[in-house]
PDB file of all heavy atoms in Angstrom:
ATOM      1  N   LYS A   1      15.258  32.415 -16.980  1.00  0.00           N
ATOM      2  CA  LYS A   1      14.279  33.293 -16.385  1.00  0.00           C
ATOM      3  C   LYS A   1      14.881  34.688 -16.122  1.00  0.00           C
ATOM      4  O   LYS A   1      14.284  35.632 -16.294  1.00  0.00           O
ATOM      5  CB  LYS A   1      13.755  32.611 -15.074  1.00  0.00           C
ATOM      6  CG  LYS A   1      12.480  33.275 -14.591  1.00  0.00           C
ATOM      7  CD  LYS A   1      12.071  32.393 -13.287  1.00  0.00           C
ATOM      8  CE  LYS A   1      10.608  32.495 -13.092  1.00  0.00           C
ATOM      9  NZ  LYS A   1      10.113  31.739 -12.017  1.00  0.00           N
ATOM     10  N   TRP A   2      16.155  34.670 -15.609  1.00  0.00           N
ATOM     11  CA  TRP A   2      16.797  35.931 -15.273  1.00  0.00           C
ATOM     12  C   TRP A   2      16.965  36.738 -16.556  1.00  0.00           C
ATOM     13  O   TRP A   2      16.720  37.970 -16.486  1.00  0.00           O
ATOM     14  CB  TRP A   2      18.189  35.593 -14.707  1.00  0.00           C
ATOM     15  CG  TRP A   2      18.955  36.818 -14.513  1.00  0.00           C
ATOM     16  CD1 TRP A   2      19.945  37.301 -15.337  1.00  0.00           C
ATOM     17  CD2 TRP A   2      18.839  37.742 -13.408  1.00  0.00           C
ATOM     18  NE1 TRP A   2      20.384  38.553 -14.751  1.00  0.00           N
ATOM     19  CE2 TRP A   2      19.666  38.807 -13.661  1.00  0.00           C
ATOM     20  CE3 TRP A   2      17.999  37.788 -12.292  1.00  0.00           C
ATOM     21  CZ2 TRP A   2      19.913  39.910 -12.814  1.00  0.00           C
ATOM     22  CZ3 TRP A   2      18.152  38.873 -11.439  1.00  0.00           C
ATOM     23  CH2 TRP A   2      19.082  39.898 -11.722  1.00  0.00           C
ATOM     24  N   ARG A   3      17.371  36.156 -17.604  1.00  0.00           N
ATOM     25  CA  ARG A   3      17.567  36.900 -18.866  1.00  0.00           C
ATOM     26  C   ARG A   3      16.282  37.522 -19.378  1.00  0.00           C
ATOM     27  O   ARG A   3      16.194  38.615 -19.853  1.00  0.00           O
ATOM     28  CB  ARG A   3      18.189  35.974 -19.964  1.00  0.00           C
ATOM     29  CG  ARG A   3      19.658  35.765 -19.675  1.00  0.00           C
ATOM     30  CD  ARG A   3      20.341  35.062 -20.877  1.00  0.00           C
ATOM     31  NE  ARG A   3      21.723  34.805 -20.521  1.00  0.00           N
ATOM     32  CZ  ARG A   3      22.154  33.574 -20.316  1.00  0.00           C
ATOM     33  NH1 ARG A   3      21.374  32.515 -20.434  1.00  0.00           N
ATOM     34  NH2 ARG A   3      23.422  33.364 -19.964  1.00  0.00           N
ATOM     35  N   ALA A   4      15.108  36.772 -19.190  1.00  0.00           N
ATOM     36  CA  ALA A   4      13.851  37.296 -19.652  1.00  0.00           C
ATOM     37  C   ALA A   4      13.454  38.443 -18.728  1.00  0.00           C
ATOM     38  O   ALA A   4      13.022  39.487 -19.308  1.00  0.00           O
ATOM     39  CB  ALA A   4      12.774  36.193 -19.520  1.00  0.00           C
ATOM     40  N   LEU A   5      13.709  38.378 -17.474  1.00  0.00           N
ATOM     41  CA  LEU A   5      13.445  39.533 -16.610  1.00  0.00           C
ATOM     42  C   LEU A   5      14.335  40.725 -16.920  1.00  0.00           C
ATOM     43  O   LEU A   5      13.868  41.896 -16.969  1.00  0.00           O
ATOM     44  CB  LEU A   5      13.593  39.156 -15.095  1.00  0.00           C
ATOM     45  CG  LEU A   5      12.506  38.319 -14.523  1.00  0.00           C
ATOM     46  CD1 LEU A   5      12.884  37.879 -13.084  1.00  0.00           C
ATOM     47  CD2 LEU A   5      11.211  39.101 -14.471  1.00  0.00           C
ATOM     48  N   ASP A   6      15.614  40.462 -17.177  1.00  0.00           N
ATOM     49  CA  ASP A   6      16.510  41.503 -17.489  1.00  0.00           C
ATOM     50  C   ASP A   6      16.126  42.243 -18.754  1.00  0.00           C
ATOM     51  O   ASP A   6      16.143  43.505 -18.829  1.00  0.00           O
ATOM     52  CB  ASP A   6      17.888  40.981 -17.676  1.00  0.00           C
ATOM     53  CG  ASP A   6      19.009  41.970 -17.831  1.00  0.00           C
ATOM     54  OD1 ASP A   6      18.893  43.019 -17.176  1.00  0.00           O
ATOM     55  OD2 ASP A   6      19.965  41.734 -18.672  1.00  0.00           O
ATOM     56  N   ILE A   7      15.634  41.476 -19.736  1.00  0.00           N
ATOM     57  CA  ILE A   7      15.189  42.105 -21.022  1.00  0.00           C
ATOM     58  C   ILE A   7      13.917  42.937 -20.734  1.00  0.00           C
ATOM     59  O   ILE A   7      13.814  44.060 -21.320  1.00  0.00           O
ATOM     60  CB  ILE A   7      14.920  40.971 -22.039  1.00  0.00           C
ATOM     61  CG1 ILE A   7      16.189  40.418 -22.576  1.00  0.00           C
ATOM     62  CG2 ILE A   7      14.066  41.507 -23.248  1.00  0.00           C
ATOM     63  CD1 ILE A   7      16.077  39.129 -23.365  1.00  0.00           C
ATOM     64  N   ARG A   8      12.988  42.521 -19.973  1.00  0.00           N
ATOM     65  CA  ARG A   8      11.788  43.212 -19.644  1.00  0.00           C
ATOM     66  C   ARG A   8      12.080  44.518 -18.870  1.00  0.00           C
ATOM     67  O   ARG A   8      11.563  45.588 -19.172  1.00  0.00           O
ATOM     68  CB  ARG A   8      10.800  42.381 -18.835  1.00  0.00           C
ATOM     69  CG  ARG A   8      10.070  41.345 -19.642  1.00  0.00           C
ATOM     70  CD  ARG A   8       9.114  40.564 -18.835  1.00  0.00           C
ATOM     71  NE  ARG A   8       8.125  41.403 -18.159  1.00  0.00           N
ATOM     72  CZ  ARG A   8       7.444  41.014 -17.180  1.00  0.00           C
ATOM     73  NH1 ARG A   8       7.670  39.854 -16.567  1.00  0.00           N
ATOM     74  NH2 ARG A   8       6.519  41.891 -16.618  1.00  0.00           N
ATOM     75  N   ILE A   9      13.013  44.419 -17.936  1.00  0.00           N
ATOM     76  CA  ILE A   9      13.446  45.649 -17.210  1.00  0.00           C
ATOM     77  C   ILE A   9      14.108  46.680 -18.065  1.00  0.00           C
ATOM     78  O   ILE A   9      13.806  47.840 -18.040  1.00  0.00           O
ATOM     79  CB  ILE A   9      14.411  45.241 -15.992  1.00  0.00           C
ATOM     80  CG1 ILE A   9      13.560  44.436 -14.918  1.00  0.00           C
ATOM     81  CG2 ILE A   9      15.031  46.444 -15.390  1.00  0.00           C
ATOM     82  CD1 ILE A   9      14.372  43.801 -13.863  1.00  0.00           C
ATOM     83  N   THR A  10      14.979  46.135 -18.909  1.00  0.00           N
ATOM     84  CA  THR A  10      15.756  47.014 -19.852  1.00  0.00           C
ATOM     85  C   THR A  10      14.728  47.692 -20.796  1.00  0.00           C
ATOM     86  O   THR A  10      14.811  48.933 -21.084  1.00  0.00           O
ATOM     87  CB  THR A  10      16.771  46.244 -20.659  1.00  0.00           C
ATOM     88  OG1 THR A  10      17.717  45.643 -19.675  1.00  0.00           O
ATOM     89  CG2 THR A  10      17.504  47.155 -21.589  1.00  0.00           C
ATOM     90  N   ASP A  11      13.763  46.953 -21.315  1.00  0.00           N
ATOM     91  CA  ASP A  11      12.811  47.512 -22.212  1.00  0.00           C
ATOM     92  C   ASP A  11      11.962  48.587 -21.516  1.00  0.00           C
ATOM     93  O   ASP A  11      11.623  49.674 -22.092  1.00  0.00           O
ATOM     94  CB  ASP A  11      11.916  46.420 -22.813  1.00  0.00           C
ATOM     95  CG  ASP A  11      11.103  46.873 -23.977  1.00  0.00           C
ATOM     96  OD1 ASP A  11      11.646  47.524 -24.913  1.00  0.00           O
ATOM     97  OD2 ASP A  11       9.886  46.621 -24.039  1.00  0.00           O
ATOM     98  N   ALA A  12      11.480  48.294 -20.310  1.00  0.00           N
ATOM     99  CA  ALA A  12      10.651  49.212 -19.518  1.00  0.00           C
ATOM    100  C   ALA A  12      11.479  50.497 -19.287  1.00  0.00           C
ATOM    101  O   ALA A  12      11.001  51.636 -19.343  1.00  0.00           O
ATOM    102  CB  ALA A  12      10.169  48.590 -18.276  1.00  0.00           C
ATOM    103  N   ALA A  13      12.829  50.367 -18.949  1.00  0.00           N
ATOM    104  CA  ALA A  13      13.625  51.521 -18.651  1.00  0.00           C
ATOM    105  C   ALA A  13      13.792  52.329 -19.967  1.00  0.00           C
ATOM    106  O   ALA A  13      13.721  53.605 -19.955  1.00  0.00           O
ATOM    107  CB  ALA A  13      14.994  51.067 -18.151  1.00  0.00           C
ATOM    108  N   ASN A  14      13.962  51.702 -21.080  1.00  0.00           N
ATOM    109  CA  ASN A  14      14.107  52.397 -22.364  1.00  0.00           C
ATOM    110  C   ASN A  14      12.775  53.090 -22.783  1.00  0.00           C
ATOM    111  O   ASN A  14      12.865  54.136 -23.248  1.00  0.00           O
ATOM    112  CB  ASN A  14      14.560  51.440 -23.508  1.00  0.00           C
ATOM    113  CG  ASN A  14      15.912  50.979 -23.377  1.00  0.00           C
ATOM    114  OD1 ASN A  14      16.800  51.668 -22.676  1.00  0.00           O
ATOM    115  ND2 ASN A  14      16.245  49.821 -23.918  1.00  0.00           N
ATOM    116  N   GLU A  15      11.650  52.439 -22.474  1.00  0.00           N
ATOM    117  CA  GLU A  15      10.379  53.065 -22.669  1.00  0.00           C
ATOM    118  C   GLU A  15      10.193  54.303 -21.774  1.00  0.00           C
ATOM    119  O   GLU A  15       9.839  55.425 -22.411  1.00  0.00           O
ATOM    120  CB  GLU A  15       9.232  52.166 -22.417  1.00  0.00           C
ATOM    121  CG  GLU A  15       7.837  52.717 -22.594  1.00  0.00           C
ATOM    122  CD  GLU A  15       6.735  51.755 -22.247  1.00  0.00           C
ATOM    123  OE1 GLU A  15       6.916  50.884 -21.439  1.00  0.00           O
ATOM    124  OE2 GLU A  15       5.585  52.107 -22.629  1.00  0.00           O
ATOM    125  N   ALA A  16      10.548  54.286 -20.627  1.00  0.00           N
ATOM    126  CA  ALA A  16      10.424  55.463 -19.742  1.00  0.00           C
ATOM    127  C   ALA A  16      11.256  56.548 -20.216  1.00  0.00           C
ATOM    128  O   ALA A  16      10.933  57.674 -20.259  1.00  0.00           O
ATOM    129  CB  ALA A  16      10.641  55.019 -18.288  1.00  0.00           C
ATOM    130  N   LYS A  17      12.566  56.220 -20.483  1.00  0.00           N
ATOM    131  CA  LYS A  17      13.480  57.231 -20.990  1.00  0.00           C
ATOM    132  C   LYS A  17      12.976  57.908 -22.272  1.00  0.00           C
ATOM    133  O   LYS A  17      13.027  59.164 -22.402  1.00  0.00           O
ATOM    134  CB  LYS A  17      14.834  56.558 -21.243  1.00  0.00           C
ATOM    135  CG  LYS A  17      15.969  57.487 -21.666  1.00  0.00           C
ATOM    136  CD  LYS A  17      17.264  56.723 -21.905  1.00  0.00           C
ATOM    137  CE  LYS A  17      18.333  57.714 -22.270  1.00  0.00           C
ATOM    138  NZ  LYS A  17      19.581  56.972 -22.622  1.00  0.00           N
ATOM    139  N   ASP A  18      12.538  57.114 -23.223  1.00  0.00           N
ATOM    140  CA  ASP A  18      12.076  57.594 -24.478  1.00  0.00           C
ATOM    141  C   ASP A  18      10.845  58.499 -24.267  1.00  0.00           C
ATOM    142  O   ASP A  18      10.815  59.614 -24.833  1.00  0.00           O
ATOM    143  CB  ASP A  18      11.727  56.446 -25.390  1.00  0.00           C
ATOM    144  CG  ASP A  18      11.590  56.751 -26.847  1.00  0.00           C
ATOM    145  OD1 ASP A  18      12.525  57.427 -27.451  1.00  0.00           O
ATOM    146  OD2 ASP A  18      10.460  56.494 -27.438  1.00  0.00           O
ATOM    147  N   ASN A  19       9.906  58.038 -23.439  1.00  0.00           N
ATOM    148  CA  ASN A  19       8.692  58.849 -23.173  1.00  0.00           C
ATOM    149  C   ASN A  19       8.980  60.092 -22.492  1.00  0.00           C
ATOM    150  O   ASN A  19       8.418  61.205 -22.846  1.00  0.00           O
ATOM    151  CB  ASN A  19       7.675  57.985 -22.406  1.00  0.00           C
ATOM    152  CG  ASN A  19       7.080  56.893 -23.261  1.00  0.00           C
ATOM    153  OD1 ASN A  19       7.265  56.834 -24.430  1.00  0.00           O
ATOM    154  ND2 ASN A  19       6.403  55.971 -22.628  1.00  0.00           N
ATOM    155  N   VAL A  20       9.900  60.106 -21.542  1.00  0.00           N
ATOM    156  CA  VAL A  20      10.267  61.401 -20.863  1.00  0.00           C
ATOM    157  C   VAL A  20      10.840  62.341 -21.846  1.00  0.00           C
ATOM    158  O   VAL A  20      10.470  63.582 -21.861  1.00  0.00           O
ATOM    159  CB  VAL A  20      11.235  61.112 -19.696  1.00  0.00           C
ATOM    160  CG1 VAL A  20      11.881  62.379 -19.184  1.00  0.00           C
ATOM    161  CG2 VAL A  20      10.444  60.408 -18.531  1.00  0.00           C
ATOM    162  N   LYS A  21      11.726  61.886 -22.662  1.00  0.00           N
ATOM    163  CA  LYS A  21      12.356  62.752 -23.668  1.00  0.00           C
ATOM    164  C   LYS A  21      11.299  63.452 -24.596  1.00  0.00           C
ATOM    165  O   LYS A  21      11.326  64.648 -24.737  1.00  0.00           O
ATOM    166  CB  LYS A  21      13.275  61.902 -24.560  1.00  0.00           C
ATOM    167  CG  LYS A  21      13.959  62.657 -25.705  1.00  0.00           C
ATOM    168  CD  LYS A  21      14.918  61.843 -26.432  1.00  0.00           C
ATOM    169  CE  LYS A  21      14.197  60.909 -27.372  1.00  0.00           C
ATOM    170  NZ  LYS A  21      15.066  60.225 -28.304  1.00  0.00           N
ATOM    171  N   TYR A  22      10.374  62.639 -25.076  1.00  0.00           N
ATOM    172  CA  TYR A  22       9.299  63.226 -25.991  1.00  0.00           C
ATOM    173  C   TYR A  22       8.390  64.153 -25.247  1.00  0.00           C
ATOM    174  O   TYR A  22       7.974  65.114 -25.738  1.00  0.00           O
ATOM    175  CB  TYR A  22       8.667  62.131 -26.738  1.00  0.00           C
ATOM    176  CG  TYR A  22       9.518  61.561 -27.837  1.00  0.00           C
ATOM    177  CD1 TYR A  22       9.944  60.280 -27.712  1.00  0.00           C
ATOM    178  CD2 TYR A  22       9.948  62.356 -28.877  1.00  0.00           C
ATOM    179  CE1 TYR A  22      10.803  59.706 -28.709  1.00  0.00           C
ATOM    180  CE2 TYR A  22      10.705  61.822 -29.942  1.00  0.00           C
ATOM    181  CZ  TYR A  22      11.146  60.557 -29.815  1.00  0.00           C
ATOM    182  OH  TYR A  22      11.975  60.018 -30.806  1.00  0.00           O
ATOM    183  N   LEU A  23       8.037  63.713 -23.985  1.00  0.00           N
ATOM    184  CA  LEU A  23       7.076  64.581 -23.230  1.00  0.00           C
ATOM    185  C   LEU A  23       7.667  65.885 -22.847  1.00  0.00           C
ATOM    186  O   LEU A  23       7.045  66.891 -22.766  1.00  0.00           O
ATOM    187  CB  LEU A  23       6.517  63.794 -22.025  1.00  0.00           C
ATOM    188  CG  LEU A  23       5.570  62.683 -22.382  1.00  0.00           C
ATOM    189  CD1 LEU A  23       5.309  61.844 -21.207  1.00  0.00           C
ATOM    190  CD2 LEU A  23       4.296  63.233 -23.003  1.00  0.00           C
ATOM    191  N   TYR A  24       9.046  65.944 -22.611  1.00  0.00           N
ATOM    192  CA  TYR A  24       9.691  67.177 -22.335  1.00  0.00           C
ATOM    193  C   TYR A  24       9.645  68.052 -23.506  1.00  0.00           C
ATOM    194  O   TYR A  24       9.526  69.259 -23.363  1.00  0.00           O
ATOM    195  CB  TYR A  24      11.121  66.931 -21.934  1.00  0.00           C
ATOM    196  CG  TYR A  24      11.400  66.878 -20.382  1.00  0.00           C
ATOM    197  CD1 TYR A  24      12.114  65.817 -19.827  1.00  0.00           C
ATOM    198  CD2 TYR A  24      10.980  67.957 -19.647  1.00  0.00           C
ATOM    199  CE1 TYR A  24      12.300  65.810 -18.465  1.00  0.00           C
ATOM    200  CE2 TYR A  24      11.233  67.929 -18.288  1.00  0.00           C
ATOM    201  CZ  TYR A  24      11.930  66.850 -17.670  1.00  0.00           C
ATOM    202  OH  TYR A  24      12.075  66.825 -16.341  1.00  0.00           O
ATOM    203  N   SER A  25       9.648  67.466 -24.733  1.00  0.00           N
ATOM    204  CA  SER A  25       9.556  68.313 -25.886  1.00  0.00           C
ATOM    205  C   SER A  25       8.226  69.017 -26.070  1.00  0.00           C
ATOM    206  O   SER A  25       8.096  69.991 -26.727  1.00  0.00           O
ATOM    207  CB  SER A  25       9.914  67.525 -27.136  1.00  0.00           C
ATOM    208  OG  SER A  25       8.824  66.658 -27.504  1.00  0.00           O
ATOM    209  N   LEU A  26       7.209  68.478 -25.382  1.00  0.00           N
ATOM    210  CA  LEU A  26       5.870  69.099 -25.407  1.00  0.00           C
ATOM    211  C   LEU A  26       5.741  70.264 -24.446  1.00  0.00           C
ATOM    212  O   LEU A  26       4.780  71.024 -24.566  1.00  0.00           O
ATOM    213  CB  LEU A  26       4.819  68.038 -25.035  1.00  0.00           C
ATOM    214  CG  LEU A  26       4.362  67.028 -26.028  1.00  0.00           C
ATOM    215  CD1 LEU A  26       3.310  66.120 -25.462  1.00  0.00           C
ATOM    216  CD2 LEU A  26       3.829  67.674 -27.308  1.00  0.00           C
ATOM    217  N   GLU A  27       6.617  70.321 -23.424  1.00  0.00           N
ATOM    218  CA  GLU A  27       6.490  71.227 -22.356  1.00  0.00           C
ATOM    219  C   GLU A  27       6.238  72.680 -22.841  1.00  0.00           C
ATOM    220  O   GLU A  27       5.341  73.359 -22.325  1.00  0.00           O
ATOM    221  CB  GLU A  27       7.688  71.171 -21.478  1.00  0.00           C
ATOM    222  CG  GLU A  27       7.420  71.629 -20.084  1.00  0.00           C
ATOM    223  CD  GLU A  27       8.597  71.272 -19.144  1.00  0.00           C
ATOM    224  OE1 GLU A  27       9.680  71.143 -19.619  1.00  0.00           O
ATOM    225  OE2 GLU A  27       8.345  71.102 -17.947  1.00  0.00           O
ATOM    226  N   LYS A  28       6.959  73.086 -23.808  1.00  0.00           N
ATOM    227  CA  LYS A  28       6.798  74.594 -24.284  1.00  0.00           C
ATOM    228  C   LYS A  28       5.461  74.752 -24.909  1.00  0.00           C
ATOM    229  O   LYS A  28       5.004  75.835 -24.980  1.00  0.00           O
ATOM    230  CB  LYS A  28       8.025  74.900 -25.207  1.00  0.00           C
ATOM    231  CG  LYS A  28       7.964  74.137 -26.524  1.00  0.00           C
ATOM    232  CD  LYS A  28       9.158  74.497 -27.388  1.00  0.00           C
ATOM    233  CE  LYS A  28       9.181  73.680 -28.575  1.00  0.00           C
ATOM    234  NZ  LYS A  28      10.471  73.863 -29.302  1.00  0.00           N
ATOM    235  N   TYR A  29       4.847  73.688 -25.346  1.00  0.00           N
ATOM    236  CA  TYR A  29       3.513  73.821 -25.988  1.00  0.00           C
ATOM    237  C   TYR A  29       2.407  73.807 -24.997  1.00  0.00           C
ATOM    238  O   TYR A  29       1.411  74.483 -25.124  1.00  0.00           O
ATOM    239  CB  TYR A  29       3.257  72.753 -27.011  1.00  0.00           C
ATOM    240  CG  TYR A  29       4.231  72.852 -28.196  1.00  0.00           C
ATOM    241  CD1 TYR A  29       5.295  71.934 -28.341  1.00  0.00           C
ATOM    242  CD2 TYR A  29       4.195  73.916 -29.097  1.00  0.00           C
ATOM    243  CE1 TYR A  29       6.185  72.024 -29.364  1.00  0.00           C
ATOM    244  CE2 TYR A  29       5.058  73.957 -30.163  1.00  0.00           C
ATOM    245  CZ  TYR A  29       6.138  73.066 -30.269  1.00  0.00           C
ATOM    246  OH  TYR A  29       6.976  73.057 -31.313  1.00  0.00           O
ATOM    247  N   TYR A  30       2.560  72.979 -23.921  1.00  0.00           N
ATOM    248  CA  TYR A  30       1.487  72.854 -22.907  1.00  0.00           C
ATOM    249  C   TYR A  30       1.536  73.785 -21.814  1.00  0.00           C
ATOM    250  O   TYR A  30       0.592  74.033 -21.047  1.00  0.00           O
ATOM    251  CB  TYR A  30       1.196  71.465 -22.478  1.00  0.00           C
ATOM    252  CG  TYR A  30       2.284  70.775 -21.672  1.00  0.00           C
ATOM    253  CD1 TYR A  30       2.581  71.214 -20.407  1.00  0.00           C
ATOM    254  CD2 TYR A  30       2.973  69.629 -22.080  1.00  0.00           C
ATOM    255  CE1 TYR A  30       3.505  70.581 -19.620  1.00  0.00           C
ATOM    256  CE2 TYR A  30       3.929  69.039 -21.353  1.00  0.00           C
ATOM    257  CZ  TYR A  30       4.162  69.456 -20.064  1.00  0.00           C
ATOM    258  OH  TYR A  30       5.109  68.836 -19.302  1.00  0.00           O
ATOM    259  N   ASP A  31       2.675  74.502 -21.600  1.00  0.00           N
ATOM    260  CA  ASP A  31       2.797  75.459 -20.559  1.00  0.00           C
ATOM    261  C   ASP A  31       1.719  76.530 -20.644  1.00  0.00           C
ATOM    262  O   ASP A  31       1.081  76.932 -19.621  1.00  0.00           O
ATOM    263  CB  ASP A  31       4.175  76.077 -20.450  1.00  0.00           C
ATOM    264  CG  ASP A  31       5.113  75.202 -19.584  1.00  0.00           C
ATOM    265  OD1 ASP A  31       4.603  74.349 -18.780  1.00  0.00           O
ATOM    266  OD2 ASP A  31       6.345  75.442 -19.651  1.00  0.00           O
ATOM    267  N   PRO A  32       1.470  77.109 -21.826  1.00  0.00           N
ATOM    268  CA  PRO A  32       0.423  78.126 -21.930  1.00  0.00           C
ATOM    269  C   PRO A  32      -0.942  77.630 -21.549  1.00  0.00           C
ATOM    270  O   PRO A  32      -1.827  78.422 -21.142  1.00  0.00           O
ATOM    271  CB  PRO A  32       0.391  78.512 -23.431  1.00  0.00           C
ATOM    272  CG  PRO A  32       1.783  78.176 -23.919  1.00  0.00           C
ATOM    273  CD  PRO A  32       2.208  76.895 -23.103  1.00  0.00           C
TER     274      PRO A  32
END
């Protein structure tokens, strides 16, 4: 059960990191 939770937490952290990286790349386009 612990390993399953650890995998879910790691995946969610990776998703957030990936999404922040890509959304930051949009910043220069949506600032105007």
Side-chain angles (χ1 to χ4, degrees):
K1 195 176 207 178
W2 174 262
R3 286 190 185 109
L5 283 173
D6 188 40
I7 288 169
R8 285 181 59 203
I9 291 168
T10 302
D11 192 49
N14 288 338
E15 177 184 20
K17 182 180 179 184
D18 196 55
N19 290 349
V20 166
K21 176 178 76 172
Y22 286 112
L23 290 170
Y24 263 127
S25 73
L26 282 181
E27 203 169 29
K28 65 182 174 192
Y29 298 106
Y30 67 66
D31 274 346

